[in-house]
Amino acid sequence: MPVSTSAFGLTTDGAAAQLYTLTNAHGLTATISTYGGTLTSLLVPDQAGRLGDVVLGFDDVRGYQSPEFLQSGPYFGALIGRYGNRIARGRFTLDGQEYTLARNNAPNHLHGGRRGFDKVLWTAQAGESADGPTLTLRYLSADGEEGYPGNLSVTVVYTLTSANALRLAYEATTDQATPLNLTNHTYFNLNLGGSADILGHELELRADRYTVVDETLIPTGELRAVAGTPFDFTAPHRIGTRIGEVAGGGYDHNWVLKPAGAGEAVIRVVEPVSGRTLEVVTDQPGVQFYTGNFLDGTLTGKHGVRYGRHAGFCLETQHFPDSPNHPGFPSTILRPGSVFRSQTEYRFGVQA
């Protein structure tokens, strides 16, 4: 069957979480939980054809609700909203009214607040498309939830395509103007699924600028050229080559993606040991590249693997952080009568 279901355990408030496993024509599988819309497992082949899990996560839903996980906040595999990334001091002004949000990443607001989209149960419907099996997830975020205005209706469709890509299609409508920045927070490790670090992965980013941030990771407003800095991935090189030159012990920044043609990848990652490759196609203007700097070995994930520093990397396609407070950034305001639509595709392959 292209889509199968199984139990994922009970949440701390007694609700049942489900797993949906999508399998394409080549045997690749993507497993997604209704809790947080979380991608819990993704099996893709290496250059010898062996399937391996390339994302970080846990064996049951309680792992995503443990005190250790919630305190460290890595957001493994989850859908993020209403606003992915940070909003300075948990405040923004919209149409003359100031709104106050949780400062859950002191002194700032992060990833939708204390109970963002990563911590709710989504309704799910399995299906099939011409491209492969699908899972449609829906969530209604009520007016005032986490301080945001408007009743926001969100739909996210996961598709595991016959071309060995995992596609995420986002759609949303609202009855009041509201900031919106949806993304997915999967941690990838194309070699050993988190049991070794990702510093040997080779990254190429089609971006010649990045958003400069202050000491709390809030953009200053400057879009700085990457040339001559450790943020220059315009030519492929290993993630670990210049990571020591980055303040904070690793990358956690937004790159300004250059426009690309339809279906053209803006990011490419190669893992030389397994031979696996990952290409990212997106219509979003930015990507947060994060190298798991805050993982410290306290979390034990699937197969008993302890996730240490740099055990995975994230490629969170997005609008820019703190855009509601930066009029010069691309707008993230969704208004009544408009439909937000966005699509990101993660394409997997092997080196020729």
Side-chain angles (χ1 to χ4, degrees):
M1 295 290 292
V3 183
S4 61
T5 62
S6 58
F8 198 44
L10 298 178
T11 65
T12 52
D13 59 4
Q18 297 295 316
L19 284 179
Y20 288 78
T21 299
L22 283 58
T23 304
N24 76 358
H26 305 292
L28 277 70
T29 67
T31 303
I32 300 126
S33 173
T34 53
Y35 180 77
T38 301
L39 178 66
T40 65
S41 173
L42 184 60
L43 300 179
V44 300
D46 63 11
Q47 58 191 357
R50 297 179 295 247
L51 290 174
D53 195 349
V54 298
V55 303
L56 276 56
F58 298 104
D59 292 317
D60 59 56
V61 72
R62 288 301 181 96
Y64 297 90
Q65 295 190 302
S66 71
E68 296 81 9
F69 181 77
L70 295 177
Q71 182 176 4
S72 59
Y75 300 91
F76 289 157
L79 296 178
I80 302 295
R82 283 188 194 191
Y83 199 94
N85 221 301
R86 293 169 176 85
I87 294 179
R89 299 173 300 283
R91 296 179 181 175
F92 66 91
T93 299
L94 177 57
D95 297 337
Q97 181 174 344
E98 184 175 85
Y99 294 88
T100 301
L101 311 172
R103 298 185 182 187
N104 60 313
N105 186 241
N108 304 313
H109 177 80
L110 176 66
H111 290 332
R114 294 189 177 93
R115 189 173 183 267
F117 293 178
D118 60 296
K119 298 179 182 69
V120 303
L121 283 175
W122 295 66
T123 61
Q125 181 178 2
E128 294 186 57
S129 71
D131 292 332
T134 65
L135 181 67
T136 300
L137 298 173
R138 294 184 174 89
Y139 180 66
L140 178 61
S141 178
D143 180 27
E145 184 174 274
E146 289 295 325
Y148 289 94
N151 294 294
L152 182 78
S153 178
V154 182
T155 301
V156 181
V157 181
Y158 282 92
T159 303
L160 186 60
T161 77
S162 57
N164 292 352
L166 183 65
R167 179 187 305 145
L168 284 80
Y170 305 86
E171 185 173 300
T173 58
T174 183
D175 60 4
Q176 294 183 52
T178 188
L180 182 68
N181 190 24
L182 300 174
T183 191
N184 177 276
H185 210 295
T186 293
Y187 288 65
F188 295 100
N189 186 319
L190 302 182
N191 185 15
L192 296 172
S195 58
D197 66 44
I198 46 80
L199 299 181
H201 289 57
E202 297 171 357
L203 172 68
E204 183 178 3
L205 266 171
R206 183 175 173 149
D208 55 14
R209 295 180 298 167
Y210 71 100
T211 52
V212 179
V213 294
D214 65 18
E215 65 278 3
T216 69
L217 299 177
I218 291 294
T220 64
E222 178 187 357
L223 305 182
R224 184 177 296 173
V226 301
T229 77
F231 299 92
D232 188 354
F233 287 92
T234 52
H237 65 267
R238 296 193 173 195
I239 291 171
T241 301
R242 294 174 295 191
I243 199 170
E245 302 173 37
V246 182
Y251 298 101
D252 192 7
H253 299 76
N254 173 70
W255 272 254
V256 180
L257 295 172
K258 296 175 70 175
E264 184 178 2
V266 291
I267 303 166
R268 178 175 168 82
V269 183
V270 176
E271 202 295 298
V273 176
S274 68
R276 292 188 180 96
T277 64
L278 166 61
E279 293 185 334
V280 181
V281 178
T282 187
D283 54 17
Q284 291 294 281
V287 63
Q288 188 85 3
F289 171 51
Y290 171 55
T291 49
N293 315 322
F294 300 111
L295 298 175
D296 60 5
T298 60
L299 296 175
T300 300
K302 295 173 291 184
H303 317 300
V305 174
R306 297 182 71 85
Y307 294 139
R309 196 177 200 189
H310 309 313
F313 64 89
C314 302
L315 294 168
E316 304 158 64
T317 57
Q318 61 177 13
H319 272 61
F320 303 166
D322 199 31
S323 288
N325 294 310
H326 290 272
F329 286 177
S331 176
T332 57
I333 304 304
L334 178 65
R335 295 187 178 275
S338 296
V339 180
F340 171 85
R341 291 187 178 91
S342 177
Q343 184 170 287
T344 293
E345 190 168 281
Y346 300 93
R347 298 175 174 172
F348 296 92
V350 294
Q351 294 188 91

